[in-house]
Amino acid sequence: MKVTDAKFVQGFIRMANDGWEQGWHERNGGNLTYRIKKEEIEEIRENLRTDGEWKAIGTSVPNLGGEYFLVTGSGKYFRNIILDPEETLAIVELDAAGENYRICWGLKNGGKPTSELPSHLMNHEVKMIASGGKHRVIYHAHPANVIALTFVLPLEDKVFTRELWEMATECPIVFPDGIGVVPWMVPGGRDIAVATSELMKQYNVAVWAHHGLFCSGEDFDLTFGLMHTVEKSAEILVKVYSMTGGKKRQTIQPDEFRDLAKDFKVTLPEKFLD
Ligand code: 2HA
Ligand code: ZN
């Protein structure tokens, strides 16, 4: 099968374009990676190159040895993915040790996988283990309202979690584990990858202060939906701050969150409710 005809590639392109249309991907901002299923690789194997040069990932992900990923290219624009996926995306294979990668498809005019490859792969490893293999999508975007809040709220997991839960009743159901916050760090390197993956052991969402948002999920719908829900909630909070300076006349109370958790069968950590 042609790579671009595969259902997972179509799903990836649609999600990337949806992110562009939301305004989360100015210029070359953001990146998306998908851990490809064994049977999906078999469908397209005849069109994968095996002569790519092995290159260092820049970190070590031993539990992902031998896995294949569909990834956005470094410096590529989300806006262009739908027009030319073979120029803007790549499929990469990891070696058995999880220390090197090689390009098997895509980036037809040259280029490298996303500059955030170390962060994506370390988070894939953590989330694959934490979810028993279910999580396959890691998504980083630059949604404006989440970023704006990182100049106003204290950079604490509890504050971001509680404030965003309060802004929309669905939030504690969509991200019951809460949200982690990474202080400002240089993007693209191993340090931000380590800091983010530490938080992603307990969360599916991490804020990068003054930069953007990082999400993990099982499939494209769930991961896009998570990014969308968090950013919508941040937009409401920005409106509340803009109208009142942050003073709420009323809001959802801790016991109301507990009632919601019971009915919707989610567990909300008490540390976010006291
Ligand atoms: O330009 O978003 O974090 C890609 C990025 C880096
Ligand atoms: Zn970024």
PDB file of all heavy atoms in Angstrom, residues 6 75 79 113 131 148 190 197 200-201 205 241 273:
ATOM      1  N   ALA A   6      -2.450   4.826   3.768  1.00  0.00           N
ATOM      2  CA  ALA A   6      -2.707   4.090   5.019  1.00  0.00           C
ATOM      3  C   ALA A   6      -3.591   4.934   5.940  1.00  0.00           C
ATOM      4  O   ALA A   6      -3.442   6.160   6.016  1.00  0.00           O
ATOM      5  CB  ALA A   6      -1.387   3.751   5.705  1.00  0.00           C
ATOM      6  N   GLY A  75      11.484  22.008  11.368  1.00  0.00           N
ATOM      7  CA  GLY A  75      11.404  23.201  10.515  1.00  0.00           C
ATOM      8  C   GLY A  75      10.250  23.177   9.518  1.00  0.00           C
ATOM      9  O   GLY A  75      10.045  24.144   8.784  1.00  0.00           O
ATOM     10  N   ARG A  79       1.004  23.821   8.352  1.00  0.00           N
ATOM     11  CA  ARG A  79       0.156  24.328   7.280  1.00  0.00           C
ATOM     12  C   ARG A  79       0.373  23.578   5.962  1.00  0.00           C
ATOM     13  O   ARG A  79      -0.525  23.474   5.137  1.00  0.00           O
ATOM     14  CB  ARG A  79       0.499  25.815   7.109  1.00  0.00           C
ATOM     15  CG  ARG A  79      -0.266  26.552   6.087  1.00  0.00           C
ATOM     16  CD  ARG A  79       0.044  28.040   6.195  1.00  0.00           C
ATOM     17  NE  ARG A  79      -0.409  28.681   4.986  1.00  0.00           N
ATOM     18  CZ  ARG A  79       0.394  29.215   4.073  1.00  0.00           C
ATOM     19  NH1 ARG A  79       1.707  29.225   4.254  1.00  0.00           N
ATOM     20  NH2 ARG A  79      -0.112  29.755   3.002  1.00  0.00           N
ATOM     21  N   PRO A 113      13.926  14.657  11.481  1.00  0.00           N
ATOM     22  CA  PRO A 113      12.700  14.591  12.277  1.00  0.00           C
ATOM     23  C   PRO A 113      12.607  15.790  13.226  1.00  0.00           C
ATOM     24  O   PRO A 113      13.623  16.450  13.492  1.00  0.00           O
ATOM     25  CB  PRO A 113      12.848  13.299  13.089  1.00  0.00           C
ATOM     26  CG  PRO A 113      13.940  12.528  12.451  1.00  0.00           C
ATOM     27  CD  PRO A 113      14.822  13.505  11.746  1.00  0.00           C
ATOM     28  N   SER A 131       0.635   3.076  30.315  1.00  0.00           N
ATOM     29  CA  SER A 131      -0.703   2.743  29.787  1.00  0.00           C
ATOM     30  C   SER A 131      -0.797   1.294  29.316  1.00  0.00           C
ATOM     31  O   SER A 131      -1.772   0.917  28.674  1.00  0.00           O
ATOM     32  CB  SER A 131      -1.033   3.681  28.607  1.00  0.00           C
ATOM     33  OG  SER A 131      -0.220   3.363  27.490  1.00  0.00           O
ATOM     34  N   ALA A 148      -0.677  32.198  27.539  1.00  0.00           N
ATOM     35  CA  ALA A 148      -0.954  33.450  28.261  1.00  0.00           C
ATOM     36  C   ALA A 148      -1.059  33.194  29.770  1.00  0.00           C
ATOM     37  O   ALA A 148      -0.536  33.975  30.581  1.00  0.00           O
ATOM     38  CB  ALA A 148      -2.247  34.083  27.732  1.00  0.00           C
ATOM     39  N   ARG A 190      17.677  17.377  25.838  1.00  0.00           N
ATOM     40  CA  ARG A 190      17.380  16.256  26.709  1.00  0.00           C
ATOM     41  C   ARG A 190      16.802  16.730  28.047  1.00  0.00           C
ATOM     42  O   ARG A 190      15.948  16.053  28.626  1.00  0.00           O
ATOM     43  CB  ARG A 190      18.671  15.446  26.946  1.00  0.00           C
ATOM     44  CG  ARG A 190      18.392  14.114  27.606  1.00  0.00           C
ATOM     45  CD  ARG A 190      19.579  13.153  27.608  1.00  0.00           C
ATOM     46  NE  ARG A 190      19.225  11.962  28.374  1.00  0.00           N
ATOM     47  CZ  ARG A 190      19.237  11.885  29.689  1.00  0.00           C
ATOM     48  NH1 ARG A 190      19.627  12.917  30.420  1.00  0.00           N
ATOM     49  NH2 ARG A 190      18.871  10.767  30.304  1.00  0.00           N
ATOM     50  N   SER A 197       9.000  14.151  30.828  1.00  0.00           N
ATOM     51  CA  SER A 197       8.651  12.734  30.984  1.00  0.00           C
ATOM     52  C   SER A 197       8.490  12.358  32.455  1.00  0.00           C
ATOM     53  O   SER A 197       7.705  11.472  32.793  1.00  0.00           O
ATOM     54  CB  SER A 197       9.645  11.825  30.255  1.00  0.00           C
ATOM     55  OG  SER A 197      10.936  12.044  30.727  1.00  0.00           O
ATOM     56  N   MET A 200       4.961  13.306  33.037  1.00  0.00           N
ATOM     57  CA  MET A 200       4.010  12.491  32.269  1.00  0.00           C
ATOM     58  C   MET A 200       3.866  11.079  32.842  1.00  0.00           C
ATOM     59  O   MET A 200       3.002  10.333  32.411  1.00  0.00           O
ATOM     60  CB  MET A 200       4.418  12.445  30.786  1.00  0.00           C
ATOM     61  CG  MET A 200       4.347  13.812  30.099  1.00  0.00           C
ATOM     62  SD  MET A 200       2.697  14.529  29.976  1.00  0.00           S
ATOM     63  CE  MET A 200       2.211  13.903  28.373  1.00  0.00           C
ATOM     64  N   LYS A 201       4.693  10.736  33.850  1.00  0.00           N
ATOM     65  CA  LYS A 201       4.434   9.474  34.561  1.00  0.00           C
ATOM     66  C   LYS A 201       3.082   9.545  35.250  1.00  0.00           C
ATOM     67  O   LYS A 201       2.411   8.547  35.415  1.00  0.00           O
ATOM     68  CB  LYS A 201       5.539   9.198  35.588  1.00  0.00           C
ATOM     69  CG  LYS A 201       6.846   8.761  34.943  1.00  0.00           C
ATOM     70  CD  LYS A 201       7.943   8.548  35.982  1.00  0.00           C
ATOM     71  CE  LYS A 201       9.249   8.219  35.262  1.00  0.00           C
ATOM     72  NZ  LYS A 201      10.421   8.379  36.136  1.00  0.00           N
ATOM     73  N   VAL A 205      -1.017  15.481  30.335  1.00  0.00           N
ATOM     74  CA  VAL A 205      -0.842  16.845  29.820  1.00  0.00           C
ATOM     75  C   VAL A 205       0.228  17.568  30.633  1.00  0.00           C
ATOM     76  O   VAL A 205       0.196  17.523  31.864  1.00  0.00           O
ATOM     77  CB  VAL A 205      -2.123  17.707  29.995  1.00  0.00           C
ATOM     78  CG1 VAL A 205      -2.077  18.925  29.090  1.00  0.00           C
ATOM     79  CG2 VAL A 205      -3.384  16.925  29.826  1.00  0.00           C
ATOM     80  N   TYR A 241     -10.399  36.246  33.807  1.00  0.00           N
ATOM     81  CA  TYR A 241      -9.381  37.190  34.289  1.00  0.00           C
ATOM     82  C   TYR A 241      -9.545  38.554  33.630  1.00  0.00           C
ATOM     83  O   TYR A 241      -9.393  39.597  34.272  1.00  0.00           O
ATOM     84  CB  TYR A 241      -7.972  36.639  34.038  1.00  0.00           C
ATOM     85  CG  TYR A 241      -7.431  35.860  35.218  1.00  0.00           C
ATOM     86  CD1 TYR A 241      -7.812  34.541  35.421  1.00  0.00           C
ATOM     87  CD2 TYR A 241      -6.568  36.455  36.135  1.00  0.00           C
ATOM     88  CE1 TYR A 241      -7.329  33.828  36.513  1.00  0.00           C
ATOM     89  CE2 TYR A 241      -6.085  35.742  37.227  1.00  0.00           C
ATOM     90  CZ  TYR A 241      -6.468  34.438  37.408  1.00  0.00           C
ATOM     91  OH  TYR A 241      -6.001  33.747  38.494  1.00  0.00           O
ATOM     92  N   LEU A 273      -8.097  18.915  45.420  1.00  0.00           N
ATOM     93  CA  LEU A 273      -9.435  19.363  45.835  1.00  0.00           C
ATOM     94  C   LEU A 273      -9.444  20.070  47.172  1.00  0.00           C
ATOM     95  O   LEU A 273     -10.450  20.676  47.525  1.00  0.00           O
ATOM     96  CB  LEU A 273     -10.389  18.149  45.886  1.00  0.00           C
ATOM     97  CG  LEU A 273     -10.717  17.522  44.540  1.00  0.00           C
ATOM     98  CD1 LEU A 273     -11.624  16.303  44.704  1.00  0.00           C
ATOM     99  CD2 LEU A 273     -11.358  18.537  43.599  1.00  0.00           C
TER     100      LEU A 273
END
